[in-house]
Amino acid sequence: MTRAGAETGAGGPEASAEATATATATATDGARPGAPPRALVVVGDVVTDVVAVHPEPLAPATDTAARIRTLPGGAGANAACWAARSGAAEVRLLARVGTESARWHEQALLDAGVRPRLVVDPAEPTGTVVALVGKDAERTFLTDSGASLRLCPADWAPDLLDGAARLHLSGYLFFADSSRELATVALRAARGRGIAVSVDPASAGFLAALGPERFLDAVAGIDVLLPNEDEARLLAGLPERAGAARAAAELSRRVPLVVVTRGAAGALVAEGGRVTAEVAAETARAVDSTGAGDAFTGGFLAALLAGAAPARAAGAGCRAAALAVTRLGGRP
């Protein structure tokens, strides 16, 4: 790996304020001429997660006791780390971070087996997400995207796709003009090379604000869509009471393979306008559901890279998600 800057800081994002350069991973390291494509390239977000677990309901206008941790996160970065944890031979990540935590995030990704190409933003800090986790392990997010949505076409490098078998785009990219343009560039580059592309819609709230049809137009030509139930219904133009199976089937008329995650109910696989498999969730004692969908995505994509059929890949995704909810934060 080639990178600029001083030694990696330790102890948290505040320990690396002097980092000012772009951290890069040479995309072709380890590639052999004539070797079959094997890499997964993820383009998405790296953020700092502040996870607050509060066993009791929030008490307005006073204190609520909580267990609070600051952890590396971000939907794109989480998915990349879970793909590496799930056996993907090579995982690369393109993201944008702030100078104050660039090295901390870089080292966390390297430790997870991911090759990061982090563009350091000179103006905005790394995105921050406050995750409020209640007694039921469900989470509510407060999101400041910061530098993550300032990715732009100039950050793209064609060599990121050298030796790649799959490209995964975090849905968060599509919710800001600059990062959406970058996602379009990456998608076209992958399609031009015959590389399969997957997208997870990321956020029902942001999706509704952008507009479902606008999102679907932006991702036209992808091979795999990975929404949760709420996102699937929204994208399919169905009411809240509609079943996830109907939404999955409808979306698979527009995208060849649709996998709808359903939390404790597992996942649905749809192809060609019909549901082709229902995959049960793995039993787990949930502590924090933050990043469960990202874990599913990473496990699923790693299995596809290994040659698994969609239903078996969804099973691998469910196993990763079950492991993810047993720990704080969104990373392995």
Side-chain angles (χ1 to χ4, degrees), residues 117-139:
R117 181 171 290 191
L118 301 182
V119 180
V120 179
D121 193 291
E124 289 290 330
T126 301
T128 300
V129 171
V130 177
L132 304 176
V133 184
K135 187 176 182 180
D136 59 359
E138 284 300 321
R139 76 285 185 274

Side-chain angles (χ1 to χ4, degrees), residues 302-313:
L304 284 187
L305 277 170
R312 291 185 66 85

Side-chain angles (χ1 to χ4, degrees), residues 104-202:
W104 182 63
H105 280 294
E106 178 197 11
Q107 191 60 53
L109 290 163
L110 288 169
D111 290 346
V114 174
R115 295 185 176 194
R117 181 171 290 191
L118 301 182
V119 180
V120 179
D121 193 291
E124 289 290 330
T126 301
T128 300
V129 171
V130 177
L132 304 176
V133 184
K135 187 176 182 180
D136 59 359
E138 284 300 321
R139 76 285 185 274
T140 299
F141 291 150
L142 300 174
T143 302
D144 178 352
S145 297
S148 63
L149 295 188
R150 284 165 57 89
L151 270 172
C152 64
D155 298 330
W156 178 254
D159 68 338
L160 277 164
L161 294 178
D162 290 350
R166 289 189 168 273
L167 169 69
H168 178 71
L169 302 173
S170 169
Y172 283 109
L173 296 170
F174 295 91
F175 302 137
D177 291 342
S178 177
S179 54
R180 185 165 56 249
E181 291 174 11
L182 177 280
T184 299
V185 169
L187 174 55
R188 288 175 178 169
R191 299 301 294 170
R193 294 199 193 192
I195 295 170
V197 183
S198 57
V199 172
D200 66 279

Side-chain angles (χ1 to χ4, degrees), residues 66-130:
R67 181 184 178 195
I68 302 174
R69 297 291 183 272
T70 300
L71 302 166
N78 293 346
C81 291
W82 279 103
R85 165 68 169 72
S86 300
E90 182 180 345
V91 183
R92 306 169 191 154
L93 173 70
L94 173 64
R96 185 177 272 253
V97 296
T99 59
E100 83 292 342
S101 58
R103 292 191 183 158
W104 182 63
H105 280 294
E106 178 197 11
Q107 191 60 53
L109 290 163
L110 288 169
D111 290 346
V114 174
R115 295 185 176 194
R117 181 171 290 191
L118 301 182
V119 180
V120 179
D121 193 291
E124 289 290 330
T126 301
T128 300
V129 171
V130 177

Side-chain angles (χ1 to χ4, degrees), residues 14-108:
E14 70 280 357
S16 53
E18 78 281 5
T20 58
T22 298
T24 64
T26 303
T28 53
D29 284 354
R32 301 187 307 279
R38 63 173 191 157
L40 169 65
V41 178
V42 178
V43 183
D45 50 324
V46 169
V47 306
T48 300
D49 282 345
V50 179
V51 181
V53 180
H54 53 97
E56 300 300 324
L58 295 175
T62 187
D63 295 327
T64 300
R67 181 184 178 195
I68 302 174
R69 297 291 183 272
T70 300
L71 302 166
N78 293 346
C81 291
W82 279 103
R85 165 68 169 72
S86 300
E90 182 180 345
V91 183
R92 306 169 191 154
L93 173 70
L94 173 64
R96 185 177 272 253
V97 296
T99 59
E100 83 292 342
S101 58
R103 292 191 183 158
W104 182 63
H105 280 294
E106 178 197 11
Q107 191 60 53

